Amino acid sequence: MSKENVEIVRRAVAYEYYGVGDRAEAEEIKRAKDAWRAAELEPITLHEGRHTFASLLIDSGANPKAVQEFMGHSKIQTTFDCYGHLFPGSHDEVRERMDAYLLAATEPGCEPEPTA
């Protein structure tokens, strides 16, 4: 997020939650709420929006380094700590693939490849 957008968000939150700010900022908030209503969606918080964005990045196939950069994490470990369970290769996915592999290997007529 650009510094300018971060500042806009900061001011909008300050106005909405703390009553600090001016009328122009209130209009930005009203436009956002109107857009949510027009789309018949329940508004989400900025924090929820951030996690949704990261989840969609990962689901679209973005690699962890790209997600780190988009999210502004200074360390890749932060990205993995927050979103590691969403990347391909999660425990459930690995478990399912291993089960399928072992099941296929035990079917009649399926002999293991000889090793040299």
Side-chain angles (χ1 to χ4, degrees), residues 5-50:
N5 286 343
V6 168
E7 182 59 22
I8 289 170
V9 168
R10 186 197 65 73
R11 285 181 302 181
V13 169
Y15 185 86
E16 181 74 5
Y17 293 102
Y18 304 109
V20 177
D22 61 29
R23 186 157 177 71
E25 291 161 359
E27 288 300 316
E28 290 175 11
I29 293 166
K30 183 181 180 312
R31 280 198 325 267
K33 287 181 177 180
D34 289 347
W36 282 106
R37 271 194 294 279
E40 297 180 359
L41 296 171
E42 189 67 30
I44 61 174
T45 66
L46 293 171
H47 187 76
E48 291 167 328
R50 179 177 169 80

Side-chain angles (χ1 to χ4, degrees), residues 102-114:
L102 293 173
L103 181 62
T106 59
E107 290 179 359
C110 182
E111 300 296 324
E113 293 288 324

Side-chain angles (χ1 to χ4, degrees), residues 39-94:
E40 297 180 359
L41 296 171
E42 189 67 30
I44 61 174
T45 66
L46 293 171
H47 187 76
E48 291 167 328
R50 179 177 169 80
H51 283 292
T52 299
F53 177 66
S55 300
L56 292 172
L57 282 173
I58 294 165
D59 194 49
S60 74
N63 69 54
K65 187 66 179 171
V67 175
Q68 174 198 0
E69 292 171 1
F70 275 110
M71 299 309 295
H73 297 152
S74 61
K75 297 181 180 175
I76 192 71
Q77 189 60 46
T78 303
T79 305
F80 283 126
D81 288 346
C82 293
Y83 306 108
H85 64 287
L86 298 176
F87 283 99
S90 69
H91 289 270
D92 290 337
E93 187 178 317
V94 171

